[in-house]
Amino acid sequence: MGKLKRKKPAIKMKKKPENFSIENMQGKFLHRFQIDNDFPTLHILYPFLHDYIDFKDECITKYNKLVRRESNIEHYYLDPTMGISVNIDTHNKSYQLLIGTKKVVDQPLLYDEGSMEELIEIIKNVQGIHIHSTCISENSLENEEFVVSIFNVSIDNLKIRTEILDGKNSFLKLPSTTWYEDGVITPGGVSIGTSLDENMQPIDSIISLRSYTDQGYESHKEIFWGNLKFEEGLVKNLSVIIDETNKDNILIKLEIFNLENPTTLFNTTIPIKTSENYLNFKSCFDKNGFCYFSLIKITRSEEVEETFNDAKLNNIIIIDANRREEFIRWIDPVRLDLGGLDGSKKILINEKSLEVGIYKHTNLQNLTDTYVRKIFNELVANKIGLALDLPLVNTSFHMDHATVGVITKLVPPPVFKLSEIKLELVQNFESLIDMVAFDIFICNSDRHIDNICFSKQQNLYYPMLIDHTRCLGGCKTNDLQKLNDDRFPYYLNLTGLEFINERISGVEVFDAIITRIKQINLDEIFSFSLDNELCKFIDSCSAYDEHIFEFLLKAFKKRQMHIESILKESLGL
């Protein structure tokens, strides 16, 4: 079920009046059946947003209880015994889309990719259909889509899937456990297992992506050969998340990230029964630290395997019970736009400690080298700033099933901007002088008026320093070279902070912070351990090599030794 275009989950919409009917639908949409990466898909395009919302509301909101979300990996299905169904009439070459017992669409079956018999055969093999609904409106800036997978399909009034198991025994309420038992969703899906030695003992773990049509296989080859990045035999930009939802079931998610062209992303999510194959796979992966990746085409006439020259994967994140607990500790009560250029932001609350933090994040499929560097920069700057006793708050790496970023604990409210306070009420002003030296020391290229906030306590204002994603010289390819420069021109970034600049009469104002910089233990600071997940992303980032910490330690020790002259040169003192 791999899709070249990311499927957006069904979103609950405001309830609409229940007077929806086929009469209201006719002439308000364009439709066509096609095969998308091995999966039959009914594409419905709405030129008007209100018609799209009506259809979405009828399909999703009214039957929202049928939409199931499992685990930390989002994937949506509809219960095959209820809700939406499709009936195809091969004699009249038409189809009906029904919600409950009501026909909401009754249209000719449009299919231009081959014979009608071919389409019917593939639908029978898959035993399901995607409904992919999109709105592109000239009258609105909103372009959106939703995809649902339905398995209640009839051809000439004969159901193509008849075996229905008790919901208590079927994972994701799919009708047949054998359908996903080995991880292969016909006619395409993911298979995980091991290769065997001559004694039939597992020796290597393998992840295979299977295709069951020539078109699907060629499409996979084009995407993967065109976009996978290799370094010393390792695939650098294919992320694999395996979520052990319980002892009997797992979800596996494959996703290409870090692409220059985000429109060619690949992602798929597959439910798999836990079996001896998976246990052997996990054991081999834990032992070797990698698995092999291959493409396989299986049709009636041939079986072809493409191994990508023994490509190896180590970007595999396994979410077990302990890791899942860490994911769900943070709840998301508020989404907000805080401005800035470093990704989306939202408020998270730690359910256990009730700590509140700002989560600065990006979607996993949009993860780039630049954003990996921003995460890394923020964590390094936070470690150094806290070691220097500067007014920073703890920052930590965080990710969930779809996003990755950093959580910065929220500054104790109420919080004010510089423009909202009186300067004579600012306390601990020396920390702002220290901030200048700190920014020059860590090569922070992005200190401005909105990266300082003030916490109010008893009618006095205390500075807090935030946002250090552009330290270590910045986020561009050659920015790390700036760490070896004796002079870092911070002065150009003091626009709006003249009230601080006025207090810098000579290098002696930095005496206290210079002493602290020379006393901090850089070996200890740069020995901090990173989350395993972040290590995988850093390893995939072309801006870093395995010696990044050694490079930073050496560069910062040089800056530490010459900090006084660096401040003089940078500020022209």
Side-chain angles (χ1 to χ4, degrees):
M1 276 199 319
K3 309 294 291 179
L4 304 185
K5 191 171 184 180
R6 182 173 177 82
K7 297 186 290 183
K8 297 185 179 179
I11 303 172
K12 184 181 288 187
M13 302 294 293
K14 185 177 179 181
K15 188 74 173 178
K16 295 283 182 181
E18 296 193 15
N19 57 357
F20 190 74
S21 68
I22 184 174
E23 287 76 21
N24 294 329
M25 287 286 298
Q26 288 178 336
K28 296 187 178 181
F29 67 94
L30 304 173
H31 66 104
R32 187 173 302 278
F33 278 90
Q34 61 190 63
I35 307 299
D36 284 350
N37 200 22
D38 281 356
F39 211 93
T41 303
L42 171 60
H43 281 266
I44 302 179
L45 173 64
Y46 288 90
F48 298 105
L49 185 62
H50 62 88
D51 295 321
Y52 165 81
I53 291 177
D54 282 344
F55 179 72
K56 182 177 181 179
D57 179 64
E58 188 76 8
C59 289
I60 301 303
T61 307
K62 185 175 180 181
Y63 288 93
N64 192 56
K65 63 183 180 180
L66 306 180
V67 178
R68 299 182 56 79
R69 173 178 172 179
E70 300 287 341
S71 175
N72 290 294
I73 299 176
E74 288 184 354
H75 203 68
Y76 289 85
Y77 300 90
L78 291 185
D79 189 320
T81 62
M82 300 173 63
I84 304 176
S85 61
V86 172
N87 182 39
I88 295 176
D89 185 339
T90 62
H91 303 293
N92 297 320
K93 296 185 178 180
S94 64
Y95 76 97
Q96 297 85 38
L97 179 64
L98 297 90
I99 300 181
T101 58
K102 182 196 299 183
K103 290 182 185 178
V104 294
V105 175
D106 191 347
Q107 294 285 334
L109 198 157
L110 303 179
Y111 179 68
D112 298 333
E113 300 180 24
S115 68
M116 194 69 67
E117 290 74 17
E118 248 180 37
L119 174 65
I120 298 303
E121 188 64 28
I122 292 176
I123 290 174
K124 286 180 179 179
N125 288 338
V126 179
Q127 302 184 56
I129 291 176
H130 285 330
I131 296 181
H132 188 152
S133 180
T134 310
C135 175
I136 303 178
S137 174
E138 296 180 357
N139 302 320
S140 170
L141 296 177
E142 295 189 50
N143 297 336
E144 62 169 307
E145 60 189 347
F146 74 93
V147 179
V148 293
S149 304
I150 65 170
F151 305 100
N152 191 3
V153 181
S154 300
I155 297 177
D156 295 333
N157 293 316
L158 296 176
K159 291 188 179 297
I160 61 172
R161 185 174 289 202
T162 57
E163 182 185 3
I164 303 295
L165 298 180
D166 186 342
K168 295 180 180 178
N169 299 323
S170 65
F171 181 47
L172 287 177
K173 284 202 170 181
L174 296 180
S176 169
T177 55
T178 59
W179 188 63
Y180 54 84
E181 193 168 58
D182 297 319
V184 179
I185 295 183
T186 303
V190 176
S191 176
I192 62 176
T194 55
S195 60
L196 306 177
D197 62 15
E198 61 274 9
N199 297 317
M200 303 303 291
Q201 296 299 311
I203 54 175
D204 287 308
S205 50
I206 297 176
I207 292 180
S208 299
L209 183 64
R210 297 190 179 187
S211 303
Y212 285 77
T213 66
D214 290 332
Q215 177 184 348
Y217 179 67
E218 293 302 320
S219 175
H220 281 157
K221 278 190 64 175
E222 180 179 350
I223 288 296
F224 281 85
W225 272 115
N227 293 306
L228 286 188
K229 297 180 181 178
F230 297 88
E231 186 174 305
E232 297 180 354
L234 290 174
V235 181
K236 305 294 287 184
N237 62 331
L238 179 60
S239 171
V240 180
I241 299 179
I242 298 175
D243 194 331
E244 298 175 350
T245 62
N246 55 50
K247 65 182 181 65
D248 296 320
N249 306 299
I250 67 173
L251 286 177
I252 180 168
K253 178 178 182 179
L254 271 67
E255 192 160 34
I256 296 179
F257 66 94
N258 211 16
L259 295 178
E260 295 180 1
N261 181 2
T263 61
T264 58
L265 289 172
F266 169 87
N267 72 86
T268 184
T269 304
I270 307 294
I272 301 175
K273 294 290 286 186
T274 303
S275 65
E276 193 66 28
N277 280 347
Y278 173 66
L279 298 179
N280 288 337
F281 167 88
K282 187 177 178 183
S283 175
C284 286
F285 176 75
D286 289 342
K287 178 181 65 178
N288 296 331
F290 69 87
C291 75
Y292 289 103
F293 175 70
S294 65
L295 294 181
I296 296 177
K297 177 176 70 171
I298 300 177
T299 66
R300 294 176 181 177
S301 58
E302 63 178 338
E303 178 170 340
V304 178
E305 182 171 355
E306 177 60 73
T307 63
F308 290 100
N309 298 320
D310 292 331
K312 298 177 182 178
L313 289 175
N314 64 354
N315 291 312
I316 299 181
I317 297 169
I318 297 179
I319 305 172
D320 55 15
N322 293 333
R323 194 68 184 96
R324 185 178 302 104
E325 182 181 355
E326 175 67 21
F327 281 166
I328 65 176
R329 270 192 325 127
W330 294 90
I331 59 176
D332 175 15
V334 180
R335 295 181 181 271
L336 73 169
D337 181 8
L338 297 175
L341 303 175
D342 292 329
S344 303
K345 303 178 181 72
K346 58 185 175 183
I347 298 293
L348 297 182
I349 296 177
N350 190 310
E351 287 184 316
K352 290 186 176 180
S353 65
L354 298 183
E355 294 171 331
V356 180
I358 295 178
Y359 181 34
K360 187 185 297 182
H361 63 279
T362 190
N363 289 333
L364 184 61
Q365 91 252 25
N366 295 330
L367 187 63
T368 62
D369 286 358
T370 297
Y371 205 85
V372 171
R373 292 185 66 167
K374 288 179 180 179
I375 294 173
F376 186 74
N377 289 356
E378 190 75 68
L379 295 173
V380 170
N382 190 251
K383 290 287 185 182
I384 296 174
L386 292 176
L388 291 172
D389 294 322
L390 293 174
L392 280 74
V393 292
N394 283 324
T395 297
S396 59
F397 171 77
H398 185 70
M399 70 172 291
D400 56 25
H401 63 277
T403 65
V404 59
V406 291
I407 296 178
T408 300
K409 289 183 182 178
L410 205 60
V411 177
V415 177
F416 299 85
K417 295 181 179 180
L418 178 64
S419 59
E420 299 172 326
I421 66 175
K422 296 180 179 179
L423 286 178
E424 58 268 24
L425 297 179
V426 172
Q427 303 298 295
N428 194 21
F429 196 95
E430 62 273 12
S431 67
L432 295 176
I433 301 293
D434 293 346
M435 174 196 72
V436 176
F438 169 63
D439 284 335
I440 293 175
F441 180 54
I442 67 172
C443 290
N444 183 16
S445 60
D446 188 38
R447 177 70 66 195
H448 53 78
I449 196 169
D450 290 327
N451 281 346
I452 308 171
C453 59
F454 295 85
S455 178
K456 186 177 182 181
Q457 303 172 36
Q458 297 179 340
N459 292 322
L460 299 174
Y461 299 93
Y462 294 82
M464 298 295 295
L465 311 182
I466 61 173
D467 196 354
H468 302 95
T469 57
R470 288 174 174 80
C471 75
L472 307 189
C475 303
K476 297 179 181 178
T477 303
N478 60 350
D479 281 339
L480 284 174
Q481 304 304 321
K482 297 177 183 178
L483 293 177
N484 288 317
D485 294 344
D486 291 334
R487 171 185 169 86
F488 182 73
Y490 176 86
Y491 192 85
L492 297 176
N493 296 298
L494 280 172
T495 303
L497 303 176
E498 289 82 5
F499 71 101
I500 300 175
N501 189 32
E502 291 169 358
R503 304 283 187 98
I504 302 176
S505 55
V507 74
E508 63 276 0
V509 301
F510 298 111
D511 284 348
I513 186 65
I514 287 174
T515 299
R516 299 208 300 278
I517 287 175
K518 289 186 174 182
Q519 289 177 344
I520 60 173
N521 188 336
L522 289 173
D523 290 281
E524 184 177 297
I525 289 174
F526 285 110
S527 66
F528 72 92
S529 59
L530 299 171
D531 293 65
N532 289 335
E533 291 84 357
L534 179 56
C535 286
K536 295 179 187 297
F537 296 131
I538 289 175
D539 182 59
S540 297
C541 178
S542 61
Y544 299 130
D545 59 31
E546 59 182 339
H547 304 295
I548 179 61
F549 280 107
E550 290 89 337
F551 170 80
L552 290 177
L553 182 59
K554 182 178 179 180
F556 271 97
K557 281 187 174 180
K558 175 184 175 183
R559 297 184 71 78
Q560 182 184 44
M561 183 182 301
H562 301 289
I563 184 60
E564 189 169 8
S565 60
I566 290 174
L567 289 174
K568 287 181 180 179
E569 286 292 318
S570 297
L571 296 170
L573 298 175

